[in-house]
Amino acid sequence: MEPAAAAPPPTAGISLRQLLMSLGEPLVELQAAPAGLDVEIRSVALLDPEDPPIAHPGELVLAIGARGRAAFPALRVAGRDGAAAVAVKLDTPGQAAALSETAVEAGVALLSVRGEARWDQVDAIARAALEDAPPGRAGEGMEEGDLFSLAQTTAILTGGIVSIEDTANRVLAYSRSADHDEVDDLRRLSILGWQGPEPYLAHLREWGVFQRLRTSDDVITIESHAELGIRRRLAVAIRSGDRQLGTIWVQEGSTPLTERSDQALLGAARVAALHLVRRRRELSADLTLTRTLTAGLLEGSTGPQPLASHLALDAFRPAAVLGFSYGAAEATGPELTRAEVTNLISVHTAARHRAALVTEADHRIYVLLPQLPRSIDIGTLRGWGQDIADAARRHLGLSLRGSVGCIVPGLGEVPESRREADRILDAMVHVDVSTTVAALPDIQAEVLVSEMLALITARPDMRDPRLTAVVAHDARHQGQLAESILAYLNAFGDVRAAAAQLHVHPNTLRYRIRRAEQLTGLDLSRPDQRLLAMLQLRLPPDA
């Protein structure tokens, strides 16, 4: 430990939250924070493996050399002596759970340092954060792209022309418009001057628009004034608590705004608030930390307490996870990016549930819905998911698949809801599912069949070699024996129905069934062989 016994000089300190914003996900990952993210860190100390463990109040202890289980003594001593946090490297991912349990018992935060990270790098950044470097400075200004993307998404959802302004009417971002004739004078002059022109602003003040924006969360309608060159538009305030951060304006073009423009605009305002809050230097890394903690909770690598503390959430209110996915081939158009899909989902969920959190993992987009009303049901959540899928098809031309995880009693059980959402999405890929958005009770059988097929795919020794021989025969001779057997079994042995589905004569189908049995020794009069065939012949040919 440096210094070995003397306590480090006191400093003003920073919170664990600020430290995480400075170190960032590339270096460390939060595993446990039993005292919350606002615990104060006042100094950094290096724990040498040759020295006896010792700590001081408010320290961040970097347990150099104490990898994995060897860090247990450092955690216990840090908790006993009042240290704020301990950083360790893990030998295996499985050690995180045991170390986290010990950290919670000791009452000290636990950070895991990436294996490729250097301790001197972690030490230098942590000390710089303590001394004088405001966290998040390097990321300042990067949110502008997000605001422009959000403006474009809002334009797609409303069918209008969007601009986002701060409270001084300075334009922060705006949507693209292919037809310049649709743009009215107010928008054109605002974009060119990067600020609303005063003569037009005076009219808006006279009509009471700004007063209503300051005092209301509702969407406000401003009717067209052809004599002033102003077309009809909608406006909504962007707020953080009681403070107005800006305004979103939607101008109507040559076609009327969409039916649900008001709802989309409310959601867009809540998403925009996150970006505008992030523009403030002291909170510039807040959104990144929120996404990291959300992803950690969904994966089960981080407990519920850090996210609940960070966002002041009630960890013991019901929660659920929605999952969304789409094929990579569908996202090739120049106007369609993953950011636009994420924005569309964010806007729609924020309009329905203020606390909704959206993150990406494993090529899927997840919506965490914390502190839900206790009266909410799966049907309501399925409706939210269906509205999002419908909007994606209507506005982006995208076939979005959605799943509704089970409603769990609190944030601690969120990984269970995410696993259920993933099971549903997996089934939608591997078996024929008629619906685009589903909960587990809707497609229980399809999910179980999908999981059985995945097991058979991973375990070739579980397959009937006679059925494998049928598939191989088809591959060699460009035959249709396997397809014919499956159609026959799906039709419950009704030869005429199966033949009609295959567009062949019933006698042709009877011949194929007999031929398959002769070639391989199959006996489709036996129930067990029929059951195996119905499963195994659903595997893709290259499985």
Side-chain angles (χ1 to χ4, degrees), residues 13-18 20-21 33-41 84 289 305-306 308-312:
I14 61 173
S15 68
L16 176 59
R17 184 194 320 273
Q18 291 172 299
L20 289 169
M21 291 177 184
L37 297 180
D38 293 321
V39 62
E40 187 180 39
I41 296 174
L289 178 58
Q305 191 276 330
S309 174
H310 178 52
L311 297 179

Side-chain angles (χ1 to χ4, degrees), residues 32 412 514:
R514 287 196 304 270

Side-chain angles (χ1 to χ4, degrees), residues 207-340:
W207 299 332
V209 172
F210 292 123
Q211 175 63 26
R212 292 176 62 192
L213 287 170
R214 282 193 295 270
T215 58
S216 173
D217 291 331
D218 297 335
V219 174
I220 297 168
T221 301
I222 300 99
E223 296 300 339
S224 64
H225 291 267
E227 74 280 9
L228 300 174
I230 297 178
R231 295 193 182 188
R232 180 175 179 268
R233 59 193 357 98
L234 304 179
V236 68
I238 304 168
R239 297 188 185 283
S240 176
D242 294 330
R243 186 172 71 253
Q244 183 182 356
L245 303 177
T247 307
I248 301 181
W249 303 87
V250 180
Q251 180 220 301
E252 194 172 71
S254 57
T255 58
L257 298 177
T258 59
E259 182 179 350
R260 298 189 180 182
S261 291
D262 284 21
Q263 188 177 58
L265 203 51
L266 285 173
R270 292 171 186 173
V271 175
L274 296 175
H275 296 304
L276 294 187
V277 165
R278 192 174 55 161
R279 296 175 80 94
R280 299 175 181 273
R281 186 177 65 190
E282 67 274 14
L283 296 177
S284 63
D286 185 75
L287 189 56
T288 298
L289 178 58
T290 297
R291 288 172 176 165
T292 300
L293 294 177
T294 301
L297 179 60
L298 290 172
E299 294 166 1
S301 60
T302 303
Q305 191 276 330
L307 182 65
S309 174
H310 178 52
L311 297 179
L313 299 174
D314 184 346
F316 301 100
R317 288 266 300 277
V321 174
L322 306 182
F324 295 93
S325 69
Y326 57 89
E330 297 180 78
T332 56
E335 296 301 318
L336 182 60
T337 67
R338 181 168 288 271
E340 287 178 292

Side-chain angles (χ1 to χ4, degrees), residues 107 109 121 169 186 232 262 376 406 540:
Q121 181 185 18
N169 302 113
L186 175 53
R232 180 175 179 268
D262 284 21
I376 203 162
C406 54

